[in-house]
Amino acid sequence: MLHAHLTTLHAVVLALDTLCQNDNCEVEALLSGSGIDAGDLQRPEMRISIAQERQVFRNATGKRQDLGLLLGRRMHVSSYGLLGFSLLSASTLGEALEVAFGFPALLGTLFDLRLHRDGTQAWIEASHYRDTPELATFNTEFCLASLKLICDDLLGRPLPLEGARFGHKAPRYQRQYTRDFACAVHFNAADNAIVFDSHWLDRRLPLADPVTHRDTLERCRQLNREFISHLALVSRVRQLLAAHLTVVPSLDDLARQLRCSSRTLRRQLQEVGTSYQTLLDELRFEQARLMLGQERLPIAHIAEALGYSETASFRHAFQRWSGTSPSRYRRPAA
């Protein structure tokens, strides 16, 4: 199943709005190390990488550990743009969920999402998580809480749950789960899922419209094809850069390998809201964090491995990405 390297700014904007509204946080601190500028938040068409989004969430969960639940409660079906309208116009809840799970790239999920039906029970399962382990609990909370809200929005009323299961251990704020899911909640479970009576899958949606649904579904297919094409380009550029971080290929070198002009490559990357430098910085930052976790590796060696001729240049770059120096970043692990 396809999982995108690119996503929209929506969840990032929502996280910043949630935190800065509740805790008076500074936007710059939450964006630190992500390569996203405050001005970018006003560009709804901009695409960012999952790694950039991940860095913002890493900063944000340092402020609020329960952020996944907070965001999930605000991720309405309208947040998904054209896909959201297609879901709202579907005939039944079951049809809408099948459409949603058929476009994981448009949904922006980090999980394989499946709808199961067995007699009188139905459940939505989120499995095969594909992201950093440190954000697993956050992403699971975000995923299931937002899916519950999507179902509520589609039905025009709260979907009564019979249970909710989470593979992680109970957090200190576990009482919030009971409030958000309004059902029995089980931790250390074999899967991540929300369970409900299967008759809800056949419930006709209040905004069902077959003409609108056919039209939006076809437009979703077209958008998905374009997104997959963009994803393939970004994945290939990342692959070529990652294989040569010590001696980084230039934009012209990449363009030759991709059999296009540098101007075309630059334009195509701009169309998906990224750039050669952004992708290079992202890969260098990811690799730098991994290497800094190895205490015996000198910082000068890390700088050289990432293609920097001078250690000072790497230090400045890392400070810009993370908001701290390589030495201070490493210190907690030491």
Side-chain angles (χ1 to χ4, degrees):
M1 185 174 286
L2 178 66
H3 290 264
H5 287 300
L6 295 175
T7 187
T8 67
L9 275 165
H10 191 88
V12 165
V13 172
L14 194 62
L16 299 182
D17 180 65
T18 300
L19 283 178
C20 294
Q21 186 179 73
N22 294 344
D23 299 327
N24 196 30
C25 295
E26 293 186 2
V27 170
E28 290 76 12
L30 295 173
L31 293 177
S32 177
S34 69
I36 303 171
D37 296 323
D40 294 332
L41 304 178
Q42 308 304 317
R43 298 170 56 196
E45 79 287 353
M46 182 176 173
R47 295 282 179 171
I48 59 172
S49 70
I50 291 296
Q52 289 177 291
E53 182 183 68
R54 182 192 305 135
Q55 180 60 33
V56 175
F57 289 157
R58 186 183 288 113
N59 296 338
T61 51
K63 302 287 185 181
R64 287 291 298 263
Q65 291 186 332
D66 61 343
L67 184 65
L69 295 177
L70 292 176
L71 294 188
R73 294 204 308 268
R74 298 185 61 186
M75 201 72 175
H76 287 280
V77 67
S78 56
S79 303
Y80 300 92
L82 183 62
L83 178 62
F85 285 108
S86 186
L87 304 185
L88 285 166
S89 58
S91 61
T92 65
L93 178 63
E95 181 183 17
L97 291 175
E98 292 289 359
V99 169
F101 301 163
F103 295 107
L106 301 185
L107 197 60
T109 180
L110 296 171
F111 297 83
D112 286 346
L113 299 178
R114 300 186 186 279
L115 176 63
H116 301 273
R117 185 171 188 165
D118 185 8
T120 60
Q121 270 197 340
W123 62 97
I124 299 171
E125 179 188 31
S127 63
H128 299 96
Y129 171 65
R130 293 176 175 85
D131 202 43
T132 178
E134 68 180 299
L135 290 176
T137 297
F138 161 80
N139 281 314
T140 304
E141 293 171 344
F142 190 9
C143 176
L144 290 189
S146 60
L147 286 173
K148 169 65 166 67
L149 184 61
I150 287 174
C151 291
D152 294 348
D153 287 346
L154 293 176
L155 291 169
R157 54 154 294 169
L159 170 67
L161 296 183
E162 296 183 357
R165 304 190 294 261
F166 294 88
H168 54 261
K169 66 181 182 180
R172 60 177 179 78
Y173 49 90
Q174 60 179 313
R175 289 185 179 179
Q176 292 178 220
Y177 283 73
T178 304
R179 178 198 65 194
D180 292 347
F181 294 96
C183 65
V185 179
H186 303 280
F187 297 98
N188 295 313
D191 62 355
N192 302 301
I194 52 175
V195 186
F196 51 94
D197 193 302
S198 61
H199 85 271
W200 288 103
L201 294 176
D202 302 319
R203 176 66 67 97
R204 183 168 177 81
L205 301 184
L207 299 180
D209 186 305
V211 176
T212 299
H213 185 63
R214 283 195 299 270
D215 177 56
T216 54
L217 190 57
E218 180 54 38
R219 291 169 65 189
C220 279
R221 292 192 182 104
Q222 180 181 350
L223 185 62
N224 196 59
R225 287 192 293 268
E226 294 173 0
F227 198 88
I228 291 173
S229 176
H230 294 155
L231 176 60
L233 172 66
V234 172
S235 296
R236 182 58 177 150
V237 172
R238 281 174 55 91
Q239 182 183 30
L240 292 172
L241 287 172
H244 302 93
L245 279 182
T246 303
V247 182
V248 180
S250 67
L251 180 67
D252 290 339
D253 293 333
L254 288 178
R256 279 193 291 272
Q257 293 184 67
L258 294 169
R259 299 181 181 180
C260 66
S261 68
S262 57
R263 182 178 179 180
T264 297
L265 179 56
R266 185 181 294 107
R267 175 180 53 78
Q268 289 176 333
L269 292 175
Q270 287 176 342
E271 287 176 354
V272 293
T274 189
S275 67
Y276 163 86
Q277 192 60 51
T278 296
L279 294 175
L280 177 57
D281 285 348
E282 173 191 313
L283 287 166
R284 280 173 160 171
F285 187 31
E286 289 176 6
Q287 189 62 28
R289 290 200 306 268
L290 290 174
M291 298 179 77
L292 286 168
Q294 303 175 44
E295 297 177 32
R296 296 184 179 180
L297 278 179
I299 290 177
H301 177 83
I302 296 174
E304 182 180 356
L306 296 180
Y308 289 93
S309 57
E310 297 181 358
T311 304
S313 298
F314 166 66
R315 292 182 191 275
H316 290 315
F318 194 87
Q319 179 79 36
R320 174 167 51 84
W321 299 330
S322 67
T324 189
S325 68
S327 300
R328 288 189 176 181
Y329 184 90
R330 166 180 272 175
R331 194 167 298 153

